[in-house]
Amino acid sequence: MRQAVLFDLDGTLLDRDASVEQFVSVQYERLAEHLSHVPKSDYISRFIELNCHGHVWKDKVYQGLVAEFSIETISWQTLLEDYEMRFQFHCVPFQSLPEMLTELRQQGYLLGIITNGRGEFQARAIDGLGIRDYFDVVLISEVEQVRKPELEIFQRALKRLGVAASDSVFVGDHPEADIAGAKGAMMKTIWKRNSSWTEAKDADAIIDQLDEIPSILKQF
Ligand SMILES: [Mg+2]
């Protein structure tokens, strides 16, 4: 019987905060003719504040920036389009990402991603990380029309893999969407600890680094 490991994307495989910071810095430089009346550090720090670790969609972030900094020669829509098209070139992986995925594949695990977000954008981010070929299934909430923590999206992924919940593990950073959701689907769970939350009470194991995963799987 094959076993599967499924992952959240943002904050689990993709270092979202580092990626956003790198993107915004480059965006400022590239569009400096429209933005240079705003100090670069202010543009970056305000973007990060408005962004709330990705929990606010970027239309609101750019509307906020344009209004607060009186940006007049470029629209929030153009800034948003620039983000949507170019973020993929600034995707920063967490440490040991390809090595960890390679090790799990060598051990025979089937691999999947379940991510809440927009279809094309999330697909481009996965390509940006260069990890698409490691995965047997990728489920994106906009495409699937169902979001974590709903059981349906976890069950659908397992069905596509042909794996039982009891033979699968979910790795994620969000205590509710990822850990409680996967637990509800009867999967084992690994919480990737982060500063946004103090605990994930449904987690079977806790990691700080991706390279801890292979040895934890052997203990399950
Ligand atoms: Mg996440």
Side-chain angles (χ1 to χ4, degrees), residues 8-12 173-174 178:
D8 166 54
L9 179 63
D10 292 310
T12 299
D173 70 310
H174 196 296
D178 295 324

Side-chain angles (χ1 to χ4, degrees), residues 23-38 43 62 71 73-83 86:
F23 168 81
V24 178
S25 173
V26 172
Q27 179 179 57
Y28 180 93
E29 297 293 342
R30 201 156 28 75
L31 302 175
E33 60 179 307
H34 305 286
L35 304 173
S36 58
H37 65 288
V38 185
Y43 186 80
Y62 282 115
I71 296 167
T73 58
I74 190 167
S75 68
W76 68 263
Q77 290 94 336
T78 304
L79 290 166
L80 176 63
E81 198 178 299
D82 182 72
Y83 171 82
R86 295 177 189 263

Side-chain angles (χ1 to χ4, degrees), residues 64 88 170 173:
Q88 62 185 304
F170 195 84
D173 70 310

Side-chain angles (χ1 to χ4, degrees), residues 40-122:
K40 184 177 178 182
S41 58
D42 290 0
Y43 186 80
I44 294 171
S45 62
R46 193 62 186 131
F47 187 105
I48 289 167
E49 282 167 18
L50 290 170
N51 190 43
C52 292
H53 300 288
H55 300 302
V56 173
W57 186 243
K58 302 302 170 291
D59 54 352
K60 298 279 180 280
V61 174
Y62 282 115
Q63 285 170 42
L65 289 176
V66 163
E68 288 179 31
F69 291 133
S70 303
I71 296 167
E72 289 172 349
T73 58
I74 190 167
S75 68
W76 68 263
Q77 290 94 336
T78 304
L79 290 166
L80 176 63
E81 198 178 299
D82 182 72
Y83 171 82
E84 288 177 335
M85 297 312 297
R86 295 177 189 263
F87 179 79
Q88 62 185 304
F89 304 117
H90 303 281
C91 288
V92 178
F94 280 111
Q95 201 180 344
S96 310
L97 175 61
E99 293 85 355
M100 181 273 294
L101 294 173
T102 299
E103 190 171 347
L104 295 188
R105 288 238 67 119
Q106 284 170 351
Q107 290 174 8
Y109 287 100
L110 295 167
L111 301 179
I113 291 175
I114 306 178
T115 173
N116 284 349
R118 304 209 173 179
E120 279 186 32
F121 187 86
Q122 296 301 82

Side-chain angles (χ1 to χ4, degrees), residues 158-175:
L158 295 174
K159 193 170 172 195
R160 283 185 201 162
L161 288 167
V163 170
S166 55
D167 288 321
S168 65
V169 176
F170 195 84
V171 185
D173 70 310
H174 196 296

Side-chain angles (χ1 to χ4, degrees), residues 192-213:
K192 186 165 183 300
R193 188 176 0 229
N194 62 94
S195 59
S196 297
W197 296 279
T198 51
E199 64 165 359
K201 59 180 167 30
D202 297 306
D204 296 304
I206 299 172
I207 58 167
D208 293 298
Q209 302 286 339
L210 294 175
D211 63 6
E212 298 169 55
I213 292 171

